[in-house]
Amino acid sequence: MESSKAHQDPFTVARGKLCTAEAGMTGDWRSSRPEIDSSKCILSKTGNKPCFLCWMYCPEGIVTKSIPVKIDYDYCKGCGICAQECPAKAIRMVAEQNID
């Protein structure tokens, strides 16, 4: 009997690993960026455990699951999902200021 690992698709394994922004740094073209007000975060506001919904819903995986929550702006595309999902409204989208 052969091992099922011998017949495993190598691309399935590659896609199953966590990685940050496979396409490279993409944050330089966004038009708005999320800003976090840590004082409004569930942890600060209620003393309860943080919800980390921003971390869970980020499609790029660039929000840290730490206290305080941080965003890697080199890879953030400015989609606003983190701000939309934050139940405490601790994240707001602000216009990106381009520095030339």
Side-chain angles (χ1 to χ4, degrees), residues 63-74:
V63 177
T64 63
K65 189 178 179 186
S66 63
I67 300 169
V69 172
K70 294 179 184 164
I71 297 170
D72 187 341
Y73 291 112
D74 287 337

Side-chain angles (χ1 to χ4, degrees), residues 8-26:
Q8 190 175 29
D9 179 4
F11 295 106
T12 303
V13 175
R15 285 187 214 130
K17 293 180 182 176
L18 292 176
C19 56
T20 300
E22 288 181 2
M25 291 186 178
T26 55

Side-chain angles (χ1 to χ4, degrees), residues 43-86:
L43 175 68
S44 300
K45 198 172 182 180
T46 65
N48 293 331
K49 291 182 180 180
C51 65
F52 291 123
L53 289 176
C54 52
W55 167 80
M56 184 169 39
Y57 282 100
C58 177
E60 295 301 318
I62 51 88
V63 177
T64 63
K65 189 178 179 186
S66 63
I67 300 169
V69 172
K70 294 179 184 164
I71 297 170
D72 187 341
Y73 291 112
D74 287 337
Y75 300 102
C76 175
K77 294 179 179 175
C79 68
I81 294 173
C82 56
Q84 184 68 35
E85 294 299 327
C86 180

